[in-house]
Amino acid sequence: MLTKVRHRNIVKLHGFCLHNRCMFLIYEYIERGSLFCALNNDVEVQQLNWGKRVNIIKGIAHALAYMHHDCSPAIIHRDITSNNILLNSEMEAIVSDFGTARFLDPNSSNQTLSLGTYGYIAPELAYTLNVTEKCDVYSFGVVALETIMGRHPGEIISMLSRPSSLNIRLKDVIDQRLHLPLFQKETQDVILVTTLALACLQCTPKSRPSMQQVAQQLSNSKTPLVVSFYEISIRQLMNKDIYVVDTN
């Protein structure tokens, strides 16, 4: 099944090697290493401007939408992390490491293998072993916020259960190693990505959008603002009450 996966944002499986006790899957080589390493390198991170970060998040979203909605049977990755997102020479996202992936059989209720990486695992897996595509959606939300913030968003995620803490401003949350977004498209894209990431982090799986919906909004949505970028809070992004009319 993995040999049939064909998407520009998914690592290509070239073949395999089976010899005695040695078994290898052979994938294409991706030049720039992982997103995690890029975000944690103060020199390399300067190449990840806001436009490139938004494109990386779009690439991940389109790859997961393809896996969930265009593959038959659907594929659940189950371990979407910044370590498993590779960057090619153009700084485009390539989803990799399908070591824990599972094919979602709609005729089976036994989707109980719940491997993943701490800090990226959907909260429902603490009390149920039922793995669905909404687990990938949650992990995507973590990685999307991590890409915008430049660090793991654990602090923000913990705030989501404490509404009084959500008055923190977006400008104080995003990666401080870059200049604040200056152009209208940059600010709109950063706001849209953050809004969608927060929607993906809903505690209830049914409340999260599908990856198809996320990918479509990232590709098509226009987001004129009624609030200054410098004043926007996490609470406003969660309530989605900042998109009204263009005030320019």
Side-chain angles (χ1 to χ4, degrees):
M1 288 301 300
L2 286 176
T3 63
K4 297 179 181 179
V5 172
R6 290 289 184 272
H7 192 279
R8 61 175 296 174
N9 297 111
I10 297 177
V11 67
K12 293 181 177 63
L13 177 65
H14 287 312
F16 67 92
C17 177
L18 177 61
H19 178 69
N20 295 332
R21 297 183 181 179
C22 298
M23 294 179 287
F24 301 96
L25 294 177
I26 303 170
Y27 289 96
E28 66 175 323
Y29 176 71
I30 309 298
E31 301 91 330
R32 301 298 293 265
S34 72
L35 175 61
F36 175 85
C37 289
L39 291 174
N40 284 275
N41 184 314
D42 287 339
V43 175
E44 190 167 353
V45 78
Q46 298 300 322
Q47 300 180 46
L48 289 177
N49 59 35
W50 296 118
K52 287 181 179 176
R53 295 189 194 207
V54 170
N55 284 336
I56 286 169
I57 293 165
K58 286 182 179 179
I60 302 169
H62 284 289
L64 289 175
Y66 169 83
M67 290 166 58
H68 292 177
H69 300 281
D70 295 327
C71 292
S72 181
I75 301 173
I76 302 177
H77 188 286
R78 299 198 311 148
D79 197 21
I80 293 294
T81 71
S82 56
N83 261 319
N84 289 338
I85 305 301
L86 303 180
L87 302 176
N88 65 16
S89 59
E90 302 299 320
M91 286 290 190
E92 297 171 327
I94 307 294
V95 176
S96 71
D97 196 349
F98 288 81
T100 63
R102 287 294 178 272
F103 301 105
L104 186 60
D105 183 355
N107 299 317
S108 172
S109 60
N110 186 27
Q111 306 290 339
T112 58
L113 295 175
S114 59
L115 296 176
T117 300
Y118 179 78
Y120 298 86
I121 300 173
E124 62 267 23
L125 293 180
Y127 53 85
T128 177
L129 294 179
N130 186 37
V131 179
T132 71
E133 67 273 16
K134 291 301 180 78
C135 297
D136 279 354
V137 174
Y138 182 91
S139 300
F140 166 82
V142 178
V143 172
L145 270 189
E146 183 177 356
T147 305
I148 293 299
M149 295 174 61
R151 62 190 186 279
H152 188 277
E155 180 182 356
I156 297 297
I157 293 173
S158 66
M159 287 181 179
L160 300 182
S161 60
R162 305 194 308 272
S164 61
S165 303
L166 296 176
N167 289 324
I168 184 171
R169 292 177 181 176
L170 176 61
K171 75 177 183 65
D172 298 320
V173 168
I174 62 178
D175 197 336
Q176 302 298 305
R177 294 171 295 180
L178 295 185
H179 294 295
L180 289 176
L182 298 176
F183 304 106
Q184 184 180 24
K185 186 179 188 324
E186 282 185 343
T187 57
Q188 290 177 340
D189 285 347
V190 169
I191 290 167
L192 176 61
V193 163
T194 308
T195 302
L196 290 172
L198 292 169
C200 292
L201 293 174
Q202 295 285 334
C203 288
T204 306
K206 290 183 179 180
S207 299
R208 299 170 200 153
S210 69
M211 287 310 309
Q212 189 173 60
Q213 291 171 324
V214 171
Q216 288 173 347
Q217 289 192 55
L218 285 171
S219 296
N220 303 323
S221 182
K222 303 293 184 182
T223 57
L225 304 179
V226 73
V227 180
S228 166
F229 177 82
Y230 299 94
E231 300 300 324
I232 293 171
S233 69
I234 297 299
R235 181 196 299 278
Q236 289 173 305
L237 295 179
M238 290 193 68
N239 293 336
K240 302 178 183 177
D241 60 0
I242 60 173
Y243 309 123
V244 185
V245 294
D246 193 344
T247 57
N248 291 331

